[in-house]
Each structure stands twice: as C-alpha cells, then as structure tokens.
Amino acid sequence: MKLQRMNRRALTLGALAVSGALALTACGSDDTGNSGNSSASATTGASSIKCDDAKGQLLADGSSAQKNAIDAWVKQFTAACKGVQINYKGGGSGAGVTAFTQGQVAFAGSDSALKPEEVTASKSVCSGGQGVDLPMVGGPIAVGYNVAGVDNLVLDAPTVAKIFNNQITNWNDEAIKKLNPDAKLPDLKIQAFHRSDESGTTDNFTKYLIATAKKDFPYEGGKAWQAKGGQSASGSSGVAQQVKETNGAIGYFELSYVGDGVNAASIDTGASAPVEATVDNATKAIADAKVVGTGQDLALELNYSTKAEGAYPMVLVTYEIVCDKGNKADTLPATKAFLRYIASEEGQQILADAKYAPIPADIIAKVRTTIEGLS
C-alpha cells in the first residue's frame, strides 16, 4: 500500500481521532466483568485488536516525540484489552534507553537507533538476545516560532543553524529578511529554545543541521544539546510551551505540538519552492530511508539533505526498542499484543490524525514479522 494512500485513509477515521496529549488509560474490568483477555480478536469501534493472553501492567518510557501517538494507541488498546495497563512515561529518548538497558521497562521509545554500546548493555537484560529497533512512528520536526505579525516564515539550513548557534540573534537580521522579503520582521531579539534532556529529537534535528550546514553548526551532534547560547526546556512539550508563551521565540519539536499560537517555518531546501512541515511532505523524505540494521534490527538511515520536490527534510523516525529474545514472561504477551496493534494497518492509520506519518508499507511489514518472532 502506498504511504500517501495510508495517510488519506487515516484522515477518514474520525471515530479514532485523538487530539492533543490524551491521559494514559489504565483500565481494570468493565462493568460486565469481561476481562478482555480473550484469545479471539476484541473489537472496539472500528478497530479489531487481538488481545491474546495479554494482562497485567506494562511500564515503558522514552521519546516524548511519540507521546501523543502512544496516548492515542493506549486509549484504543486498553479499551479492548481490559486486563492490561500501560504506563508510558515519555521522559525522553535518553531516559527510555537507560530504563530499558537497566531492565526497568518492557519496551522503550527512542528517536534514534541504539548505539553499539547500548546494544551491548541490553544483552544483560535480554537473556539470550539483545535490544532491537522497530521503526513505528514517523513525522516532521517542525521549527516552531512565535513572532507577532509573521505567519509564513521561510528559513534555510544555514539560517536555522546560525539561529540555534547564537550567530543570528535578531528577527530583522539580513539573512532572515532575504528569505522573507514580504514579511514585516520586527526589531526583536530571538529567543531560541532547545531541549534540556537527552533527546532523539535533538539528535535528528542536529543531524539535519550537520548534514546541511556543517560550517554554521560545527558540532558532533547526539541526544544532548551542544551548541552555545539559547535557553532550555524539558521535553518537546516543554519547548513548545516556552515558544507559545514568548514573543520572539523559536524552537524545534514534532508537528503535533504546532498550533495555538505556534507556527511552523517552511524550509528552503533548494527545491523549486520552500517546503512546509506536513505529514505528507515528511513521508516523501521517509520513503527514501534505507534499513541499515542487521538481523531483526530495523534501524533506518534517513536522507536529511534531500532536495526532492515537496520533501520535508527535517524528519525523525521513532523506534520501539524491545528484546528480540529473553523478554520477561510476565510482560511478553502484553508487549507483543500492543506492538502488534500499533504496527497494524489500523494502528498506523491513527497516526496522521495526530500529525504523525505512518511507516512505509515495506518497512512496517518487516516490523510485523519481527514482532511475531519476539520471545
């Protein structure tokens, strides 16, 4: 199935639309006493979710980028599988990977694939196996801003790099004016916000800057912010909140955090026209990704410097990290059932309504095969 067709179909699922960050649902028995743990498919609304023998509590932590997607999935899954509780903390990719390698969670979310040393660490908690990366959520990293009277800002990679490296400090800087000749740019100090916690969003954002504007962003990159200057906030929600509350602010976060006073800049990639941060435009870039993981690991390599027409280059893919072998017996059934659901066509269709991009069909097919083999 074509990815764009999946996005269009996702927009029709009004019954499943979930906006904003929903509260995580932890359900016990329903009023009829049905435990919801039938080996047959349990149906809720338009979704058919196979609970199997899933029961008990799943603890998970990691990427705040996928928090809105996880919340939407948890709402649907726990409505069908009454005996399962899922608590996803969303404390950031770094915290999630650490929790996973220390055996504190059943699975983790990360916006960057496991590093070799993290794979090695995972072997101590995955008896006879190791942690693997399962790409599950895609989407654009928006450069969100709040400048009164400026609604259609265009930036390019060097300008973004200089803003976040404290080299461009005012909104009427010549570099910004050149990209926005018709905008009324104020004589206003730029307040640039970055993540205070270790973040896969930071990792992907800086990979984009390093790939396209290394001269203006001369750093190694990674989950921890390295550039000088700027202000920090915890989580994508924290950065977005600071941008919303501060005239003259700019930050980076997932598209789902744009809105209500925060606009997203279009990016001049060198294509014929600046590219907006949209789900469809992000999928054009994600479709070029290559699987570079080995064995059951499905880590992807993204092309951050694409100049393809309509392809938004500043994208990330969030991985669910789980043991390929050696999962805990008491959490394995619920882990497999939940991952099976979110990788399903129905689970992936929810993403576009929450401003995320489904994973391309050929890649998500490999994810489904891996999930079925988890032990």
Side-chain angles (χ1 to χ4, degrees):
M1 179 182 298
K2 296 295 184 181
L3 189 53
Q4 292 178 337
R5 186 181 304 163
M6 291 174 66
N7 288 337
R8 290 196 295 270
R9 289 174 58 184
L11 295 174
T12 69
L13 296 182
L16 297 180
V18 180
S19 60
L22 303 172
L24 281 175
T25 305
C27 300
S29 297
D30 62 14
D31 293 339
T32 66
N34 185 354
S35 67
N37 292 323
S38 169
S39 61
S41 294
T43 301
T44 174
S47 280
S48 181
I49 298 172
K50 190 175 181 181
C51 300
D52 286 339
D53 297 320
K55 60 183 178 180
Q57 184 180 65
L58 283 185
L59 298 179
D61 195 4
S63 166
S64 66
Q66 68 168 0
K67 181 67 163 57
N68 292 346
I70 289 285
D71 288 350
W73 282 328
V74 167
K75 178 182 173 71
Q76 298 297 324
F77 183 81
T78 54
C81 303
K82 303 294 185 181
V84 182
Q85 298 176 347
I86 301 176
N87 293 301
Y88 181 81
K89 187 176 179 181
S93 297
V97 171
T98 297
F100 178 75
T101 57
Q102 292 179 351
Q104 299 171 359
V105 294
F107 70 91
S110 177
D111 307 321
S112 54
L114 290 170
K115 297 177 180 178
E117 61 269 25
E118 293 168 339
V119 173
T120 299
S122 74
K123 293 180 180 180
S124 65
V125 296
C126 300
S127 180
Q130 65 180 50
V132 291
D133 302 288
L134 305 180
M136 203 71 74
V137 181
I141 300 173
V143 177
Y145 68 95
N146 175 7
V147 180
V150 180
D151 298 326
N152 297 295
L153 185 70
V154 175
L155 298 173
D156 59 12
T159 305
V160 173
K162 290 175 183 176
I163 287 173
F164 283 92
N165 197 28
N166 205 35
Q167 295 174 315
I168 292 178
T169 58
N170 219 61
W171 279 108
N172 64 352
D173 187 275
E174 287 300 321
I176 303 177
K177 289 168 66 175
K178 184 177 180 180
L179 290 165
N180 300 272
D182 298 325
K184 296 182 179 179
L185 296 166
D187 183 7
L188 178 68
K189 182 181 178 181
I190 295 174
Q191 306 278 355
F193 287 89
H194 58 263
R195 291 282 288 272
S196 60
D197 53 321
E198 288 198 356
S199 161
T201 309
T202 295
D203 190 16
N204 284 275
F205 178 63
T206 55
K207 280 179 179 176
Y208 164 75
L209 295 178
I210 292 168
T212 56
K214 178 67 174 178
K215 177 181 177 181
D216 301 305
F217 201 81
Y219 303 99
E220 295 180 359
K223 293 178 182 177
W225 184 256
Q226 297 173 345
K228 62 184 179 181
Q231 303 175 62
S232 64
S234 179
S236 291
S237 59
V239 174
Q241 187 65 27
Q242 290 297 322
V243 173
K244 177 182 176 180
E245 295 177 352
T246 308
N247 185 33
I250 190 170
Y252 58 92
F253 33 78
E254 294 66 45
L255 185 62
S256 59
Y257 292 96
V258 171
D260 193 20
V262 179
N263 294 310
S266 296
I267 302 299
D268 184 346
T269 64
S272 62
V275 184
E276 294 182 14
T278 68
V279 167
D280 284 345
N281 291 343
T283 62
K284 293 176 183 177
I286 295 172
D288 280 341
K290 298 178 181 179
V291 175
V292 294
T294 59
Q296 299 302 308
D297 188 90
L298 297 173
L300 302 177
E301 182 178 82
L302 298 168
N303 181 11
Y304 296 99
S305 57
T306 180
K307 293 181 174 61
E309 294 296 325
Y312 185 82
M314 210 179 305
V315 296
L316 61 75
V317 169
T318 298
Y319 302 93
E320 310 313 325
I321 297 170
V322 66
C323 295
D324 58 355
K325 298 178 182 178
N327 289 279
K328 294 180 180 178
D330 58 341
T331 59
L332 178 59
T335 299
K336 287 185 71 170
F338 183 64
L339 294 179
R340 179 187 295 121
Y341 163 60
I342 67 178
S344 71
E345 182 176 338
E346 292 164 352
Q348 289 287 297
Q349 284 173 341
I350 286 179
L351 292 176
D353 281 339
K355 298 184 180 180
Y356 295 99
I359 299 300
D362 58 338
I363 297 174
I364 203 66
K366 295 177 182 177
V367 172
R368 292 168 186 154
T369 299
T370 298
I371 291 170
E372 294 306 320
L374 298 179
S375 63

